[in-house]
Amino acid sequence: MIAFQTLAMGIFGLFSFGVLKAQSDSTAQNPTPDPPPNKARGGSQKVLLAGKASAMWQSSEIKGSPSANSFNPIGLMLMPLVKINERLFLDAQIEVDANPDGGGASVNLNELIIYYRVAPAINLFAGNFSPKYGIFLGVLDDFTNRYATSPIGMGHGPQTQTGIGVQGGIQVGYSKLNYQLYVSNGPQLTVDSSGTNNGVLNYGNYTDNNKNKAVGGSIGFLPFSNSSLQVDLSGQYAGKTGDAGTAFENISSSSWAADLNYFHVFNPIMVRVLAEYNSTQTQNFNLYTDDSHTSLLVPQFNNLQTGWFAGATLRASGLKNAVLSNFELGGRVGSFTAPKDAMWGGNMVNQTTVCLTYWFTWKTPLNFAYDVYTQSGSPTQTAWVVRSIFFF
């Protein structure tokens, strides 16, 4: 019995040695076997998951009325960036907002874009994207917006849309240029027989309401080698915004914006200056009760809306005191002018904001802001805001 076991073990050992030697020879001849067809090479695909979590408390008061307090417990945004290979990338932005009144949360897909890098200065993209329009919608986010609240004159122009485009940056001597050109579904005109929202433009539609496409773009100039100053000009034009086959199909709309972003350290003070002006003009039209246009239902109005803001922040980042160097003081003024004769319009609204931010870390700011809103013919409104954000 012992002899049989010894013989069996010997035969098994010789067989194993032969298999291992054959595998070794094969590996030596082809040390990194090719992956099967349509399979990515190991390490070529990478995923970066960034995001933010935020909470905000606000106490607002209209002069002569009791104050109102609200607390938005949390907002969560996930921003995965997937590197499929050296040229192909996928960018997404998913936002979860808690209902401040309770009853669950809402989930929104803000962006879903695929990029293809043709060359360092040429990047093609397609999907649901936020076009570069001014500095607020094109550059600013909760991280760079130190003021806790949004400028009242912003967010009324081109927003997230579905389309295709090209963008990139070019070195011009010591200066730089960046650009973006795109074609999208564009805005959709609201035709409201009650007049409440008549003439309002809606963005972010996945399907188009007519065969026309909007065209837009931006160009930015950074004149200094340290990129401390950037000035931009951006815009969009849609020749048709109404539903196909209706009398409002050919209503056009055009938007444009100019902005400035300046950043520099005058030791020990760090200075940031931001400013933007934007304008959206939509063609005027009447609403009638009948096809013969004999009975006017909602009259036309000058559908022009403009907004602007300018602000600056100061931070003594060069101080040796760890506490004082983390404080940042900001001030901002701005206004929004809606179509005066529209039911959703009215007189110009002015906004003044003062904000104090404490930076626990470079990605964990705590904002304390005070806003004052004034409008001719309306009582003054004030608001205290405390906002905390954690970036990851």
Side-chain angles (χ1 to χ4, degrees):
M1 184 69 177
I2 296 177
F4 178 81
Q5 291 176 341
T6 303
L7 178 61
M9 292 177 63
I11 294 173
F12 179 78
L14 290 173
F15 177 79
S16 300
F17 175 77
V19 172
L20 292 174
K21 187 176 187 304
Q23 291 179 343
S24 176
D25 292 343
S26 175
T27 302
Q29 294 173 6
N30 190 8
T32 54
D34 290 332
N38 301 321
K39 295 292 184 180
R41 289 183 176 273
S44 64
Q45 182 171 312
K46 299 180 180 179
V47 179
L48 171 66
L49 180 61
K52 67 165 186 173
S54 61
M56 177 184 289
W57 172 85
Q58 178 172 309
S59 177
S60 59
E61 180 181 357
I62 299 176
K63 189 175 181 180
S65 302
S67 61
N69 298 287
S70 63
F71 176 68
N72 187 359
I74 189 169
L76 178 65
M77 180 180 289
L78 299 177
M79 296 174 283
L81 176 62
V82 182
K83 176 185 175 184
I84 301 173
N85 56 42
E86 295 300 323
R87 294 184 179 274
L88 200 59
F89 300 85
L90 179 66
D91 181 22
Q93 206 177 92
I94 304 168
E95 187 170 16
V96 181
D97 291 322
N99 186 344
D101 300 322
S106 62
V107 180
N108 301 302
L109 179 64
N110 293 343
E111 288 186 353
L112 183 60
I113 318 166
I114 190 165
Y115 293 93
Y116 183 76
R117 183 176 179 270
V118 179
I122 303 175
N123 297 275
L124 305 178
F125 65 89
N128 194 239
F129 68 98
S130 294
K132 172 69 173 68
Y133 179 73
I135 192 172
F136 181 73
L137 291 177
V139 177
L140 283 186
D141 52 27
D142 289 327
F143 179 69
T144 50
N145 178 18
R146 262 68 167 178
Y147 306 96
T149 58
S150 299
I152 192 172
M154 303 297 106
H156 306 286
Q159 300 173 37
T160 302
Q161 300 173 54
T162 301
I164 59 174
V166 58
Q167 63 185 31
I170 305 171
Q171 190 75 37
V172 184
Y174 291 107
S175 304
K176 302 179 185 69
L177 287 174
N178 60 59
Y179 70 93
Q180 182 186 73
L181 298 172
Y182 62 87
V183 177
S184 69
N185 286 344
Q188 296 185 7
L189 180 70
T190 299
V191 179
D192 184 0
S193 59
S194 69
T196 304
N197 295 304
N198 193 49
V200 172
L201 297 177
N202 295 316
Y203 297 86
N205 307 288
Y206 293 111
T207 57
D208 205 349
N209 64 338
N210 55 55
K211 295 182 179 180
N212 184 74
K213 300 299 176 184
V215 294
S218 71
I219 184 167
F221 180 52
L222 296 86
F224 305 132
S225 59
N226 62 0
S227 300
S228 60
L229 174 65
Q230 178 173 341
V231 291
D232 301 284
L233 185 64
S234 51
Q236 182 185 98
Y237 176 75
K240 298 181 179 181
T241 62
D243 292 344
T246 68
F248 313 102
E249 179 179 2
N250 294 324
I251 301 298
S252 63
S253 182
S254 59
S255 301
W256 70 274
D259 64 82
L260 175 148
N261 184 6
Y262 176 73
F263 171 81
H264 195 71
V265 176
F266 300 93
N267 196 36
I269 305 298
M270 180 177 68
V271 178
R272 182 184 297 272
V273 179
L274 304 168
E276 177 181 341
Y277 176 86
N278 61 60
S279 172
T280 296
Q281 174 76 64
T282 304
Q283 185 179 337
N284 308 333
F285 64 94
N286 285 315
L287 275 180
Y288 297 92
T289 59
D290 56 352
D291 293 336
S292 60
H293 293 181
T294 57
S295 181
L296 188 63
L297 181 63
V298 179
Q300 67 176 1
F301 55 87
N302 183 19
N303 197 349
L304 170 68
Q305 49 185 324
T306 61
W308 67 272
F309 84 91
T313 62
L314 302 174
R315 179 179 176 183
S317 57
L319 293 181
K320 294 182 179 180
N321 187 296
V323 175
L324 294 179
S325 63
N326 287 331
F327 279 103
E328 187 170 21
L329 179 64
R332 183 186 66 197
V333 293
S335 72
F336 172 62
T337 304
K340 185 176 179 59
D341 296 324
M343 290 185 64
W344 49 274
N347 294 323
M348 179 175 62
V349 182
N350 299 302
Q351 178 190 31
T352 302
T353 307
V354 178
C355 182
L356 182 65
T357 301
Y358 185 79
W359 295 89
F360 292 98
T361 70
W362 68 271
K363 57 182 180 180
T364 313
L366 178 64
N367 306 110
F368 302 89
Y370 180 67
D371 272 316
V372 180
Y373 302 89
T374 60
Q375 183 179 25
S376 177
S378 300
T380 299
Q381 180 178 352
T382 59
W384 290 96
V385 177
V386 180
R387 184 190 67 172
S388 62
I389 302 179
F390 173 68
F391 294 89
F392 57 89

